Amino acid sequence: MNIFIREAVADDIGTIHAFILALADYERLAHEVKGDRATLERHLFGPRPMAEVLIAEHEDKAIGFALFFHNFSTFEARPGIYLEDLFVLPEARGVGAGKALLARLARLTIERDCARLEWSVLDWNEPAIAVYRAIGAKPMDDWTIQRLDGDALAALAQSA
């Protein structure tokens, strides 16, 4: 299958939002989606974009996406790329779109002189984990993701 990877543009916002909703459904997290198209568009394509998106296409149809942003490694003293979301439509899985998106991200990581490409995966998502192992990704077993949001985030902010 011939997969074409391109950078998303503002006109893709509906497609990106639909992919996010489909991903949330797949991950059994649809109840956690709070973002709407307008907020997403402001943060992806507004005056200060906070993330970037790649779109995977086959025969001029969007079949997947990758949303990513830069982070920074103090130990490396270099930026990195963090892949927030990678999703391929169920009917298009197994044809290489996910790997093509990851390969493009790897190339961007190198072109931008970044030290690494990182992401998280749900521990039950065996098909994705198998793909990641096949391309050489390693789990960071000594690290646990921490999150501060909602009331706890507001309380800490008020304590400053």
Side-chain angles (χ1 to χ4, degrees), residues 100-112:
L101 286 162
L102 287 166
R104 175 63 72 83
L105 283 167
R107 188 166 61 212
L108 285 174
T109 302
I110 291 167
E111 288 172 356
R112 296 178 182 186

Side-chain angles (χ1 to χ4, degrees), residues 68-69 71-73 80-84 109 116-120 140:
F68 64 98
F69 54 87
N71 56 16
F72 193 83
S73 169
I81 288 181
Y82 187 83
L83 172 60
E84 179 68 22
T109 302
R116 54 189 167 218
L117 171 60
E118 296 178 308
W119 62 92
S120 298
M140 302 298 292

Side-chain angles (χ1 to χ4, degrees), residues 30-44:
H31 61 281
E32 292 193 22
V33 177
K34 297 178 182 111
D36 58 23
R37 288 173 55 159
T39 305
L40 190 61
E41 185 171 17
R42 183 174 76 244
H43 290 298
L44 292 180

